[in-house]
Amino acid sequence: MRRNKNRKRQRLFDLRLVIGGLFAVYGVIVTLKGLTTSDADLEKAQGIDINLWTGLGMLALGAFFLVWFRLRPQVPPPPPDAGER
């Protein structure tokens, strides 16, 4: 029971989860901003909706990190034996 709890704690602090989660959240925010861009803003940017494209890229990167975290979990090292000391 305790070993399973330690494993969950170690997975919680995996950087892939943190990075993927942040990119996904920021990607949603930037994509929504890109979907509500006005025509005047698009004209300033020469017709390219940079918020939309950046948001979609961030969502893709966030999804990549979260899928990587899910498919290749980090395996904690085995505990040292008491007899090895």
Side-chain angles (χ1 to χ4, degrees):
M1 175 81 171
R2 182 176 173 94
R3 185 174 177 167
N4 191 20
K5 197 173 196 180
N6 285 339
R7 207 173 260 189
K8 286 182 182 179
R9 284 184 188 160
Q10 286 178 339
R11 285 190 58 153
L12 181 66
F13 293 108
D14 192 347
L15 283 179
R16 296 174 294 180
L17 180 63
V18 175
I19 292 170
L22 284 175
F23 267 103
V25 168
Y26 291 146
V28 167
I29 293 169
V30 174
T31 301
L32 290 175
K33 177 65 176 158
L35 291 173
T36 61
T37 302
S38 67
D39 290 336
D41 289 338
L42 279 176
E43 189 176 317
K44 287 181 195 176
Q46 299 176 354
I48 300 172
D49 193 351
I50 193 69
N51 286 334
L52 179 63
W53 288 108
T54 303
L56 292 174
M58 291 173 79
L59 281 173
L61 186 63
F64 168 75
F65 273 100
L66 292 175
V67 168
W68 182 21
F69 170 76
R70 188 81 162 138
L71 294 178
R72 300 282 309 238
Q74 185 179 12
V75 179
D81 291 337
E84 290 182 1
R85 294 181 194 194

Short mmCIF file of all heavy atoms in Angstrom, two decimals, residues 22-83:
data_model
loop_
_atom_site.label_atom_id
_atom_site.label_comp_id
_atom_site.label_asym_id
_atom_site.label_seq_id
_atom_site.Cartn_x
_atom_site.Cartn_y
_atom_site.Cartn_z
N LEU A 22 0.49 22.82 -18.41
CA LEU A 22 0.59 24.27 -18.63
C LEU A 22 0.41 24.63 -20.10
O LEU A 22 -0.30 25.59 -20.42
CB LEU A 22 1.93 24.79 -18.12
CG LEU A 22 2.07 24.91 -16.61
CD1 LEU A 22 3.48 25.31 -16.23
CD2 LEU A 22 1.08 25.91 -16.07
N PHE A 23 1.04 23.89 -20.99
CA PHE A 23 0.88 24.18 -22.41
C PHE A 23 -0.57 23.98 -22.85
O PHE A 23 -1.08 24.73 -23.68
CB PHE A 23 1.82 23.32 -23.26
CG PHE A 23 3.12 23.99 -23.57
CD1 PHE A 23 4.27 23.64 -22.88
CD2 PHE A 23 3.20 24.96 -24.54
CE1 PHE A 23 5.48 24.25 -23.16
CE2 PHE A 23 4.40 25.58 -24.83
CZ PHE A 23 5.54 25.24 -24.13
N ALA A 24 -1.23 22.97 -22.31
CA ALA A 24 -2.63 22.73 -22.69
C ALA A 24 -3.53 23.87 -22.20
O ALA A 24 -4.36 24.37 -22.96
CB ALA A 24 -3.09 21.40 -22.12
N VAL A 25 -3.34 24.31 -20.97
CA VAL A 25 -4.16 25.40 -20.43
C VAL A 25 -3.90 26.69 -21.19
O VAL A 25 -4.86 27.38 -21.63
CB VAL A 25 -3.89 25.58 -18.92
CG1 VAL A 25 -4.52 26.87 -18.40
CG2 VAL A 25 -4.43 24.40 -18.14
N TYR A 26 -2.65 27.05 -21.37
CA TYR A 26 -2.33 28.28 -22.10
C TYR A 26 -2.75 28.17 -23.57
O TYR A 26 -3.16 29.16 -24.18
CB TYR A 26 -0.85 28.62 -22.01
CG TYR A 26 -0.41 29.05 -20.63
CD1 TYR A 26 0.86 28.73 -20.16
CD2 TYR A 26 -1.24 29.78 -19.81
CE1 TYR A 26 1.27 29.11 -18.90
CE2 TYR A 26 -0.83 30.17 -18.55
CZ TYR A 26 0.42 29.84 -18.09
OH TYR A 26 0.83 30.23 -16.86
N GLY A 27 -2.66 26.98 -24.13
CA GLY A 27 -3.09 26.78 -25.51
C GLY A 27 -4.58 27.02 -25.68
O GLY A 27 -5.01 27.62 -26.67
N VAL A 28 -5.38 26.58 -24.72
CA VAL A 28 -6.82 26.83 -24.77
C VAL A 28 -7.09 28.32 -24.71
O VAL A 28 -7.89 28.86 -25.49
CB VAL A 28 -7.55 26.08 -23.63
CG1 VAL A 28 -8.97 26.57 -23.48
CG2 VAL A 28 -7.52 24.58 -23.88
N ILE A 29 -6.41 29.02 -23.81
CA ILE A 29 -6.63 30.46 -23.65
C ILE A 29 -6.25 31.22 -24.92
O ILE A 29 -7.00 32.05 -25.42
CB ILE A 29 -5.83 30.99 -22.44
CG1 ILE A 29 -6.40 30.41 -21.15
CG2 ILE A 29 -5.84 32.51 -22.40
CD1 ILE A 29 -5.53 30.64 -19.93
N VAL A 30 -5.09 30.92 -25.48
CA VAL A 30 -4.62 31.63 -26.67
C VAL A 30 -5.47 31.27 -27.88
O VAL A 30 -5.76 32.13 -28.72
CB VAL A 30 -3.12 31.34 -26.91
CG1 VAL A 30 -2.64 31.95 -28.21
CG2 VAL A 30 -2.29 31.88 -25.75
N THR A 31 -5.91 30.02 -27.99
CA THR A 31 -6.77 29.62 -29.10
C THR A 31 -8.11 30.35 -29.03
O THR A 31 -8.62 30.83 -30.06
CB THR A 31 -7.00 28.10 -29.10
OG1 THR A 31 -5.74 27.44 -29.21
CG2 THR A 31 -7.89 27.67 -30.25
N LEU A 32 -8.68 30.45 -27.84
CA LEU A 32 -9.94 31.19 -27.70
C LEU A 32 -9.76 32.66 -28.07
O LEU A 32 -10.63 33.27 -28.70
CB LEU A 32 -10.48 31.06 -26.27
CG LEU A 32 -11.01 29.68 -25.90
CD1 LEU A 32 -11.42 29.64 -24.44
CD2 LEU A 32 -12.18 29.29 -26.80
N LYS A 33 -8.64 33.23 -27.69
CA LYS A 33 -8.34 34.61 -28.08
C LYS A 33 -8.21 34.72 -29.59
O LYS A 33 -8.67 35.70 -30.20
CB LYS A 33 -7.06 35.07 -27.38
CG LYS A 33 -6.60 36.45 -27.74
CD LYS A 33 -7.58 37.50 -27.29
CE LYS A 33 -7.01 38.88 -27.61
NZ LYS A 33 -8.03 39.89 -27.70
N GLY A 34 -7.61 33.73 -30.21
CA GLY A 34 -7.46 33.74 -31.66
C GLY A 34 -8.78 33.60 -32.39
O GLY A 34 -8.96 34.13 -33.48
N LEU A 35 -9.72 32.86 -31.80
CA LEU A 35 -11.02 32.70 -32.42
C LEU A 35 -11.87 33.97 -32.36
O LEU A 35 -12.81 34.12 -33.14
CB LEU A 35 -11.78 31.53 -31.78
CG LEU A 35 -11.21 30.14 -32.05
CD1 LEU A 35 -11.94 29.10 -31.22
CD2 LEU A 35 -11.28 29.81 -33.52
N THR A 36 -11.54 34.86 -31.43
CA THR A 36 -12.32 36.10 -31.27
C THR A 36 -11.56 37.31 -31.78
O THR A 36 -11.84 38.43 -31.37
CB THR A 36 -12.69 36.29 -29.78
OG1 THR A 36 -11.49 36.39 -29.02
CG2 THR A 36 -13.54 35.14 -29.27
N THR A 37 -10.61 37.11 -32.67
CA THR A 37 -9.82 38.21 -33.21
C THR A 37 -10.67 39.08 -34.14
O THR A 37 -11.43 38.56 -34.95
CB THR A 37 -8.61 37.67 -33.98
OG1 THR A 37 -7.84 36.85 -33.10
CG2 THR A 37 -7.73 38.78 -34.50
N SER A 38 -10.51 40.38 -34.02
CA SER A 38 -11.27 41.30 -34.86
C SER A 38 -10.60 41.45 -36.23
O SER A 38 -9.43 41.10 -36.42
CB SER A 38 -11.37 42.67 -34.19
OG SER A 38 -10.10 43.28 -34.13
N ASP A 39 -11.35 41.98 -37.17
CA ASP A 39 -10.82 42.19 -38.52
C ASP A 39 -9.69 43.22 -38.52
O ASP A 39 -8.74 43.10 -39.29
CB ASP A 39 -11.94 42.65 -39.46
CG ASP A 39 -12.93 41.53 -39.73
OD1 ASP A 39 -12.53 40.36 -39.61
OD2 ASP A 39 -14.09 41.84 -40.07
N ALA A 40 -9.77 44.21 -37.62
CA ALA A 40 -8.72 45.23 -37.54
C ALA A 40 -7.40 44.61 -37.07
O ALA A 40 -6.33 44.95 -37.59
CB ALA A 40 -9.14 46.34 -36.60
N ASP A 41 -7.48 43.68 -36.11
CA ASP A 41 -6.27 43.01 -35.64
C ASP A 41 -5.68 42.11 -36.73
O ASP A 41 -4.46 42.01 -36.86
CB ASP A 41 -6.57 42.18 -34.39
CG ASP A 41 -6.83 43.03 -33.16
OD1 ASP A 41 -6.37 44.20 -33.15
OD2 ASP A 41 -7.48 42.54 -32.22
N LEU A 42 -6.55 41.45 -37.49
CA LEU A 42 -6.05 40.60 -38.59
C LEU A 42 -5.38 41.44 -39.66
O LEU A 42 -4.38 41.02 -40.25
CB LEU A 42 -7.20 39.81 -39.20
CG LEU A 42 -7.63 38.55 -38.47
CD1 LEU A 42 -8.83 37.92 -39.15
CD2 LEU A 42 -6.50 37.57 -38.37
N GLU A 43 -5.91 42.62 -39.90
CA GLU A 43 -5.31 43.50 -40.91
C GLU A 43 -3.92 43.95 -40.47
O GLU A 43 -2.99 44.05 -41.28
CB GLU A 43 -6.21 44.71 -41.15
CG GLU A 43 -5.80 45.56 -42.32
CD GLU A 43 -6.79 46.68 -42.58
OE1 GLU A 43 -8.00 46.42 -42.52
OE2 GLU A 43 -6.31 47.81 -42.81
N LYS A 44 -3.76 44.23 -39.17
CA LYS A 44 -2.45 44.62 -38.64
C LYS A 44 -1.42 43.51 -38.81
O LYS A 44 -0.23 43.77 -39.00
CB LYS A 44 -2.54 44.97 -37.16
CG LYS A 44 -3.22 46.26 -36.85
CD LYS A 44 -3.21 46.45 -35.34
CE LYS A 44 -4.18 47.52 -34.90
NZ LYS A 44 -4.22 47.63 -33.44
N ALA A 45 -1.88 42.28 -38.70
CA ALA A 45 -0.98 41.12 -38.78
C ALA A 45 -0.91 40.54 -40.18
O ALA A 45 -0.53 39.37 -40.34
CB ALA A 45 -1.43 40.06 -37.79
N GLN A 46 -1.27 41.31 -41.18
CA GLN A 46 -1.20 40.91 -42.58
C GLN A 46 -2.04 39.65 -42.86
O GLN A 46 -1.66 38.79 -43.65
CB GLN A 46 0.23 40.71 -43.02
CG GLN A 46 1.07 41.96 -42.92
CD GLN A 46 2.52 41.74 -43.26
OE1 GLN A 46 2.95 40.61 -43.48
NE2 GLN A 46 3.27 42.82 -43.31
N GLY A 47 -3.17 39.53 -42.18
CA GLY A 47 -4.10 38.44 -42.43
C GLY A 47 -3.80 37.13 -41.75
O GLY A 47 -4.49 36.14 -41.96
N ILE A 48 -2.77 37.09 -40.93
CA ILE A 48 -2.41 35.86 -40.23
C ILE A 48 -2.89 35.95 -38.79
O ILE A 48 -2.54 36.87 -38.06
CB ILE A 48 -0.88 35.63 -40.25
CG1 ILE A 48 -0.39 35.51 -41.69
CG2 ILE A 48 -0.52 34.39 -39.45
CD1 ILE A 48 1.11 35.48 -41.80
N ASP A 49 -3.70 34.99 -38.39
CA ASP A 49 -4.20 34.97 -37.02
C ASP A 49 -3.18 34.24 -36.14
O ASP A 49 -3.27 33.04 -35.90
CB ASP A 49 -5.56 34.28 -36.97
CG ASP A 49 -6.28 34.50 -35.66
OD1 ASP A 49 -5.65 35.04 -34.72
OD2 ASP A 49 -7.45 34.13 -35.57
N ILE A 50 -2.20 35.00 -35.68
CA ILE A 50 -1.07 34.41 -34.95
C ILE A 50 -1.51 33.79 -33.63
O ILE A 50 -0.96 32.77 -33.20
CB ILE A 50 0.06 35.45 -34.75
CG1 ILE A 50 1.35 34.77 -34.28
CG2 ILE A 50 -0.36 36.53 -33.78
CD1 ILE A 50 1.98 33.92 -35.32
N ASN A 51 -2.53 34.37 -32.98
CA ASN A 51 -3.01 33.78 -31.73
C ASN A 51 -3.62 32.41 -31.96
O ASN A 51 -3.40 31.48 -31.17
CB ASN A 51 -4.04 34.70 -31.06
CG ASN A 51 -3.41 35.91 -30.42
OD1 ASN A 51 -2.25 35.87 -30.04
ND2 ASN A 51 -4.16 36.98 -30.31
N LEU A 52 -4.37 32.27 -33.02
CA LEU A 52 -4.98 30.98 -33.32
C LEU A 52 -3.91 29.93 -33.62
O LEU A 52 -3.95 28.83 -33.06
CB LEU A 52 -5.94 31.11 -34.50
CG LEU A 52 -6.64 29.83 -34.93
CD1 LEU A 52 -7.53 29.31 -33.81
CD2 LEU A 52 -7.43 30.06 -36.19
N TRP A 53 -2.96 30.26 -34.47
CA TRP A 53 -1.93 29.29 -34.83
C TRP A 53 -1.01 28.96 -33.65
O TRP A 53 -0.62 27.80 -33.46
CB TRP A 53 -1.12 29.78 -36.02
CG TRP A 53 -1.92 29.71 -37.28
CD1 TRP A 53 -2.44 30.75 -37.98
CD2 TRP A 53 -2.32 28.53 -37.96
NE1 TRP A 53 -3.14 30.29 -39.06
CE2 TRP A 53 -3.09 28.92 -39.08
CE3 TRP A 53 -2.11 27.18 -37.75
CZ2 TRP A 53 -3.64 28.01 -39.97
CZ3 TRP A 53 -2.65 26.27 -38.65
CH2 TRP A 53 -3.40 26.68 -39.73
N THR A 54 -0.69 29.97 -32.87
CA THR A 54 0.16 29.71 -31.69
C THR A 54 -0.59 28.86 -30.67
O THR A 54 -0.03 27.93 -30.08
CB THR A 54 0.60 31.04 -31.05
OG1 THR A 54 1.28 31.81 -32.03
CG2 THR A 54 1.51 30.80 -29.86
N GLY A 55 -1.87 29.16 -30.46
CA GLY A 55 -2.68 28.38 -29.53
C GLY A 55 -2.81 26.93 -29.96
O GLY A 55 -2.72 26.02 -29.13
N LEU A 56 -3.02 26.71 -31.24
CA LEU A 56 -3.11 25.33 -31.73
C LEU A 56 -1.78 24.59 -31.58
O LEU A 56 -1.75 23.41 -31.24
CB LEU A 56 -3.57 25.32 -33.19
CG LEU A 56 -5.01 25.77 -33.43
CD1 LEU A 56 -5.29 25.85 -34.92
CD2 LEU A 56 -5.99 24.85 -32.74
N GLY A 57 -0.68 25.31 -31.81
CA GLY A 57 0.63 24.71 -31.61
C GLY A 57 0.88 24.36 -30.15
O GLY A 57 1.43 23.29 -29.83
N MET A 58 0.45 25.24 -29.26
CA MET A 58 0.61 24.97 -27.83
C MET A 58 -0.25 23.79 -27.39
O MET A 58 0.17 22.98 -26.56
CB MET A 58 0.27 26.22 -27.02
CG MET A 58 1.26 27.35 -27.20
SD MET A 58 0.73 28.86 -26.40
CE MET A 58 1.15 28.49 -24.71
N LEU A 59 -1.46 23.71 -27.93
CA LEU A 59 -2.32 22.56 -27.62
C LEU A 59 -1.69 21.26 -28.11
O LEU A 59 -1.73 20.24 -27.40
CB LEU A 59 -3.70 22.74 -28.26
CG LEU A 59 -4.66 23.66 -27.55
CD1 LEU A 59 -5.91 23.88 -28.39
CD2 LEU A 59 -5.03 23.09 -26.19
N ALA A 60 -1.11 21.28 -29.29
CA ALA A 60 -0.47 20.08 -29.83
C ALA A 60 0.73 19.67 -28.96
O ALA A 60 0.91 18.48 -28.66
CB ALA A 60 -0.03 20.30 -31.27
N LEU A 61 1.53 20.65 -28.56
CA LEU A 61 2.69 20.34 -27.71
C LEU A 61 2.25 19.82 -26.34
O LEU A 61 2.83 18.87 -25.81
CB LEU A 61 3.59 21.57 -27.57
CG LEU A 61 4.90 21.35 -26.83
CD1 LEU A 61 5.78 20.35 -27.58
CD2 LEU A 61 5.63 22.66 -26.65
N GLY A 62 1.23 20.45 -25.77
CA GLY A 62 0.70 19.98 -24.48
C GLY A 62 0.16 18.57 -24.58
O GLY A 62 0.40 17.73 -23.70
N ALA A 63 -0.56 18.27 -25.67
CA ALA A 63 -1.08 16.92 -25.87
C ALA A 63 0.06 15.92 -26.02
O ALA A 63 -0.01 14.80 -25.49
CB ALA A 63 -1.99 16.89 -27.09
N PHE A 64 1.12 16.32 -26.73
CA PHE A 64 2.27 15.44 -26.89
C PHE A 64 2.88 15.07 -25.53
O PHE A 64 3.14 13.90 -25.26
CB PHE A 64 3.33 16.11 -27.77
CG PHE A 64 4.65 15.40 -27.77
CD1 PHE A 64 4.82 14.22 -28.45
CD2 PHE A 64 5.73 15.91 -27.05
CE1 PHE A 64 6.04 13.55 -28.45
CE2 PHE A 64 6.94 15.26 -27.03
CZ PHE A 64 7.09 14.07 -27.73
N PHE A 65 3.09 16.06 -24.68
CA PHE A 65 3.69 15.79 -23.37
C PHE A 65 2.77 14.92 -22.50
O PHE A 65 3.24 14.03 -21.79
CB PHE A 65 4.01 17.09 -22.64
CG PHE A 65 5.36 17.65 -22.97
CD1 PHE A 65 5.51 18.68 -23.87
CD2 PHE A 65 6.50 17.16 -22.37
CE1 PHE A 65 6.74 19.20 -24.19
CE2 PHE A 65 7.75 17.66 -22.66
CZ PHE A 65 7.88 18.68 -23.58
N LEU A 66 1.47 15.18 -22.55
CA LEU A 66 0.55 14.40 -21.73
C LEU A 66 0.42 12.96 -22.22
O LEU A 66 0.34 12.03 -21.42
CB LEU A 66 -0.82 15.09 -21.70
CG LEU A 66 -0.83 16.43 -20.96
CD1 LEU A 66 -2.20 17.09 -21.10
CD2 LEU A 66 -0.45 16.27 -19.51
N VAL A 67 0.44 12.76 -23.55
CA VAL A 67 0.40 11.40 -24.08
C VAL A 67 1.71 10.68 -23.76
O VAL A 67 1.70 9.50 -23.39
CB VAL A 67 0.13 11.43 -25.61
CG1 VAL A 67 0.38 10.08 -26.25
CG2 VAL A 67 -1.30 11.89 -25.87
N TRP A 68 2.82 11.38 -23.87
CA TRP A 68 4.12 10.79 -23.53
C TRP A 68 4.15 10.38 -22.06
O TRP A 68 4.62 9.29 -21.70
CB TRP A 68 5.21 11.81 -23.82
CG TRP A 68 6.62 11.37 -23.57
CD1 TRP A 68 7.10 10.10 -23.50
CD2 TRP A 68 7.74 12.22 -23.36
NE1 TRP A 68 8.45 10.12 -23.26
CE2 TRP A 68 8.87 11.41 -23.17
CE3 TRP A 68 7.89 13.60 -23.33
CZ2 TRP A 68 10.12 11.93 -22.94
CZ3 TRP A 68 9.15 14.11 -23.09
CH2 TRP A 68 10.25 13.28 -22.90
N PHE A 69 3.62 11.22 -21.19
CA PHE A 69 3.54 10.91 -19.76
C PHE A 69 2.69 9.66 -19.52
O PHE A 69 3.03 8.81 -18.71
CB PHE A 69 2.95 12.10 -19.01
CG PHE A 69 2.61 11.83 -17.57
CD1 PHE A 69 3.60 11.75 -16.61
CD2 PHE A 69 1.29 11.65 -17.19
CE1 PHE A 69 3.28 11.50 -15.29
CE2 PHE A 69 0.97 11.40 -15.88
CZ PHE A 69 1.96 11.33 -14.92
N ARG A 70 1.61 9.55 -20.27
CA ARG A 70 0.68 8.44 -20.07
C ARG A 70 1.24 7.12 -20.62
O ARG A 70 1.09 6.07 -20.00
CB ARG A 70 -0.63 8.78 -20.79
CG ARG A 70 -1.72 7.83 -20.53
CD ARG A 70 -2.35 8.15 -19.21
NE ARG A 70 -3.65 7.51 -19.17
CZ ARG A 70 -4.10 6.90 -18.11
NH1 ARG A 70 -3.40 6.89 -17.01
NH2 ARG A 70 -5.26 6.32 -18.13
N LEU A 71 1.90 7.18 -21.78
CA LEU A 71 2.37 5.96 -22.42
C LEU A 71 3.70 5.44 -21.86
O LEU A 71 3.95 4.24 -21.89
CB LEU A 71 2.51 6.17 -23.93
CG LEU A 71 1.21 6.41 -24.68
CD1 LEU A 71 1.50 6.66 -26.16
CD2 LEU A 71 0.24 5.25 -24.52
N ARG A 72 4.57 6.33 -21.41
CA ARG A 72 5.88 5.93 -20.90
C ARG A 72 6.05 6.42 -19.47
O ARG A 72 6.77 7.39 -19.22
CB ARG A 72 6.98 6.54 -21.77
CG ARG A 72 6.99 6.14 -23.23
CD ARG A 72 7.56 4.77 -23.45
NE ARG A 72 8.85 4.62 -22.82
CZ ARG A 72 9.97 4.31 -23.44
NH1 ARG A 72 9.95 4.12 -24.73
NH2 ARG A 72 11.08 4.19 -22.79
N PRO A 73 5.39 5.78 -18.50
CA PRO A 73 5.51 6.24 -17.12
C PRO A 73 6.93 6.06 -16.58
O PRO A 73 7.66 5.16 -16.99
CB PRO A 73 4.53 5.36 -16.35
CG PRO A 73 4.31 4.18 -17.20
CD PRO A 73 4.55 4.60 -18.62
N GLN A 74 7.29 6.96 -15.72
CA GLN A 74 8.62 6.91 -15.12
C GLN A 74 8.63 5.80 -14.08
O GLN A 74 7.75 5.71 -13.23
CB GLN A 74 8.92 8.25 -14.45
CG GLN A 74 10.30 8.36 -13.90
CD GLN A 74 10.53 9.73 -13.28
OE1 GLN A 74 9.60 10.49 -13.09
NE2 GLN A 74 11.75 10.01 -12.97
N VAL A 75 9.64 4.95 -14.15
CA VAL A 75 9.75 3.83 -13.22
C VAL A 75 10.73 4.23 -12.11
O VAL A 75 11.89 4.55 -12.38
CB VAL A 75 10.26 2.56 -13.94
CG1 VAL A 75 10.41 1.41 -12.96
CG2 VAL A 75 9.34 2.20 -15.08
N PRO A 76 10.26 4.24 -10.86
CA PRO A 76 11.17 4.61 -9.77
C PRO A 76 12.22 3.53 -9.56
O PRO A 76 11.98 2.35 -9.82
CB PRO A 76 10.25 4.72 -8.55
CG PRO A 76 9.04 3.94 -8.89
CD PRO A 76 8.91 3.95 -10.38
N PRO A 77 13.40 3.94 -9.11
CA PRO A 77 14.46 2.93 -8.85
C PRO A 77 14.06 2.03 -7.70
O PRO A 77 13.32 2.44 -6.80
CB PRO A 77 15.67 3.79 -8.50
CG PRO A 77 15.12 5.09 -8.05
CD PRO A 77 13.83 5.28 -8.77
N PRO A 78 14.55 0.79 -7.70
CA PRO A 78 14.21 -0.11 -6.60
C PRO A 78 14.84 0.38 -5.31
O PRO A 78 15.93 0.97 -5.32
CB PRO A 78 14.79 -1.45 -7.05
CG PRO A 78 15.85 -1.09 -8.02
CD PRO A 78 15.42 0.17 -8.67
N PRO A 79 14.18 0.13 -4.18
CA PRO A 79 14.76 0.55 -2.90
C PRO A 79 16.03 -0.25 -2.59
O PRO A 79 16.12 -1.43 -2.95
CB PRO A 79 13.66 0.27 -1.89
CG PRO A 79 12.78 -0.75 -2.54
CD PRO A 79 12.90 -0.53 -4.01
N PRO A 80 16.98 0.38 -1.94
CA PRO A 80 18.21 -0.37 -1.59
C PRO A 80 17.92 -1.42 -0.53
O PRO A 80 17.08 -1.24 0.33
CB PRO A 80 19.14 0.72 -1.05
CG PRO A 80 18.24 1.82 -0.61
CD PRO A 80 17.02 1.75 -1.48
N ASP A 81 18.62 -2.54 -0.65
CA ASP A 81 18.47 -3.61 0.34
C ASP A 81 19.17 -3.23 1.61
O ASP A 81 20.19 -2.53 1.60
CB ASP A 81 19.05 -4.92 -0.19
CG ASP A 81 18.23 -5.47 -1.34
OD1 ASP A 81 17.03 -5.11 -1.43
OD2 ASP A 81 18.79 -6.25 -2.14
N ALA A 82 18.68 -3.70 2.73
CA ALA A 82 19.28 -3.39 4.03
C ALA A 82 20.65 -4.06 4.17
O ALA A 82 21.52 -3.57 4.86
CB ALA A 82 18.37 -3.84 5.16
N GLY A 83 20.87 -5.18 3.47
CA GLY A 83 22.13 -5.91 3.57
C GLY A 83 23.27 -5.28 2.78
O GLY A 83 24.43 -5.60 2.98
#
